[in-house]
Amino acid sequence: MKLVTLLAFLVLIISCGKNSVAGTSSDVDIITGIVVSNTGKPVANTVVKIYRDNGDSVHRNAVDSTYSDINGVFTFDSITGGVYDLESNYKDSLFAVRQNVQHTNNSNTLLDADTLYAPGAIRGQIITDEKNRQGILVYIPGTSFDAHTDSNGNFVISRIPAKTGYAVSCQAYGYSMQTVFDIAVQVGDTAEIDPIHLSRNIFPTGVTTVFDTIHGTVTVSWRKMTGSDMEGYFVYRKLANQSGAVPVQISEELCTDSFYIDTLPDELFSRDSVLTMQYQVRGVDSRENLTPYSNKTVVKVWSSRTDNTPRTITVLDTLIPEYLSGESPAEFQWNYSGKIATVSIDLSLNNGTTWIPIEKSVKNEGIYFWKSVYNFSSDSCRVRITNDEDPRCFSISKRFRISFDPERNLIKNGDFSMRANDWNLAIADTTTTNSFRVDTANGGYGLLQCGSIPQESWMFNVNQFGIPLKKGSAYVLSFRAKCSKPDQQLYVLLQEGRAPWGDYGTRLKRLDTVWTTYSDTLFMARDDDPSAFLAFVPREVEKATISIDDVVLKRFF
């Protein structure tokens, strides 16, 4: 009876407010509710937070928060229209959650009572194909309740309001997101759920293209996917400059090999211009399910040049030394004729059989300064300079040698003695107050200023590209770090420097307030990567400073 009276009292308050201050901004865009105990009594001084509903994600930042009054009533004003979620917390001992509150602009939304209960928990395990399963995010969509797995994949999401119909989602880099539904949490009890198995985001990889200038064909090749139920592949094409256009399937029959020859139609091949075509591949299993698209690969095609100006490039071999040292600078020069705006520079380690990009579309000035030679060893190296507008116009250098010192640090400016040179700051969430700088005291060290938590942890990191890694080699990564607050967490990522951003090794470190040295051994099982990516990513660190120094990555064997 008392609860009914309170709800009637709420209606009366809002009605009176409308009559007494009609036309003012204070009588609209309000969400009002009441929190009560499990016996129906109002609960004062309960913290109520309101979040904008973000679907399947985990809530990080509340739109607003308030306290319930002596009658258990809480009010949010100046709330724009939308869908919202609310969470109530009384002294970290009683909780309630309400999701999908529909609120329209210029209106009042009156909620029925939210009942506070002693919290429960959800316990489970995430199974992946990796031995170390630490740091996988597990969360209840549309709430702020989440947890991270330990090294065995075990997790516990605690302090959850008693409720039925919960869902639990989990996501890890390189794996498909999985969600378990219809989980019931009882008062003061822990709900046990079955292990969740994560599967890799599998799609064709290693897609390459070669244009045949004589026959007007493009050969598309890729690596075959593993799996006994794979039936074949479909190949897709579109013009690269058609943003938003859907690739068109060009292979009418299912390809059972790992290549496809695309004969370009006359309307494309006969044009007097250079076109850039984009290709992708999808796998098909025995149940006719399609995999996601592969990575995009582009190739320039043409029939004749758009003008008759002679264009030539000639590498000046006499200026290339017989020997280059890995990680050292080098300089290439060439003569050219005709209008050549930009060129691309590639390196071959096998006398021109295959090529590795050094730089794409640089301004053609007849000279290129290579700041850091790739850290590989080969006696059969050549460099190729290619006209971007007409790939038929290129020049290949004489053969030279590259060798490297295995004790050389692959990280540039790892001790920050050159300030922030070679380091990049990534801030994708502009609502945060985060920054990076270098303290020049004591030889220099990097400082990650963590003012606020971004929407996703990867949105704030300091990183370095261009790290050469060799297939079949082991590497030792070490660094020193500390944090102004104890027990803070830092992700250390080593991965591909381009899409699909394959993971070479991710580690989660707990930082102390004193300088501590961290070290890990990583094995490069994938193909050679001349431009890998290292990043330091704070995980939910707020109002603290992380210091990093002496970053070293050395090849072990």
Side-chain angles (χ1 to χ4, degrees):
M1 183 66 184
K2 188 170 184 178
L3 177 58
V4 174
T5 304
L6 284 170
L7 291 173
F9 173 66
L10 280 176
V11 175
L12 179 61
I13 289 175
I14 295 174
S15 300
C16 291
K18 286 184 176 181
N19 292 332
S20 60
V21 288
T24 70
S25 61
S26 61
D27 64 339
V28 294
D29 287 339
I30 294 175
I31 296 179
T32 305
I34 182 173
V35 288
V36 299
S37 67
N38 58 359
T39 60
K41 295 180 179 180
V43 181
N45 297 318
T46 299
V47 178
V48 184
K49 294 183 178 181
I50 185 169
Y51 301 85
R52 185 173 291 277
D53 186 279
N54 55 3
D56 294 334
S57 300
V58 60
H59 289 314
R60 293 300 183 201
N61 301 306
V63 175
D64 198 1
S65 63
T66 188
Y67 288 87
S68 60
D69 62 17
I70 193 172
N71 297 309
V73 177
F74 63 87
T75 301
F76 293 102
D77 54 19
S78 301
I79 300 296
T80 58
V83 182
Y84 294 90
D85 302 320
L86 280 75
E87 293 178 11
S88 303
N89 179 344
Y90 179 72
K91 296 184 178 180
D92 285 339
S93 60
L94 300 174
F95 299 85
V97 62
R98 176 188 292 269
Q99 295 177 282
N100 300 318
V101 174
Q102 304 284 338
H103 176 69
T104 56
N105 280 321
N106 302 318
S107 68
N108 296 316
T109 300
L110 178 63
L111 307 175
D112 55 9
D114 286 318
T115 304
L116 298 170
Y117 291 101
I122 297 176
R123 177 187 289 122
Q125 184 184 28
I126 307 300
I127 305 297
T128 69
D129 58 5
E130 298 181 15
K131 291 183 179 179
N132 188 348
R133 301 161 184 164
Q134 186 171 2
I136 298 173
L137 176 64
V138 188
Y139 60 95
I140 299 176
T143 74
S144 63
F145 306 116
D146 66 350
H148 286 82
T149 57
D150 62 17
S151 59
N152 295 317
N154 299 313
F155 69 89
V156 176
I157 307 177
S158 57
R159 299 187 358 173
I160 306 172
K163 184 175 176 288
T164 59
Y166 278 121
V168 167
S169 296
C170 55
Q171 60 185 69
Y173 188 86
Y175 292 88
S176 300
M177 187 179 73
Q178 298 290 336
T179 301
V180 178
F181 298 95
D182 298 326
I183 302 171
V185 175
Q186 305 298 328
V187 175
D189 195 12
T190 298
E192 303 277 354
I193 64 174
D194 293 333
I196 302 174
H197 294 261
L198 296 187
S199 57
R200 291 255 181 205
N201 286 326
I202 300 176
F203 50 82
T205 59
V207 180
T208 60
T209 49
V210 177
F211 176 50
D212 184 333
T213 59
I214 298 176
H215 301 97
T217 61
V218 174
T219 300
V220 186
S221 58
W222 57 90
R223 298 191 190 97
K224 281 195 171 184
M225 298 173 60
T226 59
S228 58
D229 61 343
M230 291 305 302
E231 292 289 324
Y233 308 87
F234 285 127
V235 182
Y236 300 80
R237 178 191 67 209
K238 76 166 193 172
L239 286 170
N241 61 358
Q242 290 181 327
S243 58
V246 177
V248 177
Q249 179 183 320
I250 56 174
S251 53
E252 297 181 2
E253 301 292 333
L254 194 65
C255 300
T256 56
D257 292 315
S258 58
F259 70 92
Y260 176 79
I261 299 176
D262 177 27
T263 301
L264 296 173
D266 290 340
E267 61 267 23
L268 291 178
F269 187 62
S270 62
R271 291 185 182 181
D272 291 333
S273 61
V274 178
L275 298 177
T276 302
M277 308 302 299
Q278 174 185 300
Y279 288 87
Q280 290 175 278
V281 181
R282 301 177 78 178
V284 185
D285 66 15
S286 57
R287 297 177 297 279
E288 298 186 352
N289 295 316
L290 289 169
T291 70
Y293 285 102
S294 70
N295 59 297
K296 302 173 184 176
T297 183
V298 297
V299 61
K300 294 182 183 297
V301 301
W302 66 92
S303 61
S304 63
R305 285 207 301 258
T306 57
D307 60 61
N308 296 321
T309 304
R311 306 176 190 179
T312 64
I313 294 176
T314 305
V315 175
L316 300 179
D317 284 338
T318 57
L319 300 180
I320 298 179
E322 298 292 333
Y323 163 81
L324 296 179
S325 176
E327 292 287 305
S328 299
E331 185 177 273
F332 303 121
Q333 295 187 39
W334 58 93
N335 290 330
Y336 65 95
S337 63
K339 185 179 179 180
I340 302 177
T342 61
V343 296
S344 292
I345 303 167
D346 304 293
L347 173 72
S348 175
L349 302 173
N350 50 19
N351 207 27
T353 303
T354 59
W355 296 92
I356 302 171
I358 296 178
E359 194 83 53
K360 291 292 186 183
S361 301
V362 298
K363 184 178 179 181
N364 177 32
E365 296 178 333
I367 187 171
Y368 175 76
F369 183 71
W370 196 4
K371 292 182 179 179
S372 182
V373 174
Y374 289 154
N375 200 7
F376 293 131
S377 288
S378 173
D379 293 328
S380 302
C381 299
R382 293 180 184 269
V383 69
R384 179 179 66 186
I385 315 296
T386 305
N387 177 12
D388 287 331
E389 293 183 357
D390 184 354
R392 295 171 299 178
C393 175
F394 64 89
S395 178
I396 298 176
S397 75
K398 68 177 183 180
R399 191 168 67 180
F400 57 91
R401 181 163 61 97
I402 294 178
S403 66
F404 77 98
D405 178 5
E407 291 299 315
R408 185 183 298 275
N409 184 9
L410 302 182
I411 303 299
K412 305 168 188 174
N413 191 25
D415 59 0
F416 298 95
S417 59
M418 301 173 63
R419 294 185 178 271
N421 288 359
D422 301 305
W423 292 97
N424 310 294
L425 174 64
I427 299 182
D429 184 354
T430 58
T431 64
T432 60
T433 56
N434 301 321
S435 63
F436 172 72
R437 66 181 180 87
V438 172
D439 192 322
T440 56
N442 301 318
Y445 53 89
L447 294 172
L448 281 163
Q449 306 281 2
C450 306
S452 55
I453 301 173
Q455 295 178 3
E456 299 290 344
S457 53
W458 62 266
M459 291 182 173
F460 171 49
N461 67 80
V462 62
N463 59 71
Q464 184 171 134
F465 283 87
I467 302 170
L469 299 179
K470 192 171 183 63
K471 181 179 180 180
S473 293
Y475 297 86
V476 176
L477 173 65
S478 64
F479 64 95
R480 295 193 308 136
K482 67 177 181 177
C483 186
S484 59
K485 293 169 63 175
D487 200 32
Q488 300 300 301
Q489 298 184 63
L490 179 71
Y491 275 119
V492 184
L493 285 72
L494 187 63
Q495 59 187 32
E496 283 184 275
R498 59 192 180 280
W501 307 100
D503 185 25
Y504 298 146
T506 298
R507 302 291 188 268
L508 182 63
K509 305 298 182 183
R510 290 190 175 273
L511 306 182
D512 204 344
T513 55
V514 297
W515 283 108
T516 304
T517 299
Y518 302 89
S519 180
D520 288 288
T521 300
L522 308 169
F523 181 74
M524 181 63 174
R526 304 194 182 193
D527 290 340
D528 294 348
D529 188 343
S531 186
F533 168 83
L534 174 71
F536 293 96
V537 186
R539 191 181 84 82
E540 298 184 15
V541 180
E542 186 174 17
K543 295 180 180 179
T545 300
I546 295 176
S547 303
I548 301 172
D549 198 8
D550 296 335
V551 185
V552 176
L553 180 64
K554 291 184 178 181
R555 182 175 169 185
F556 186 65
F557 65 80

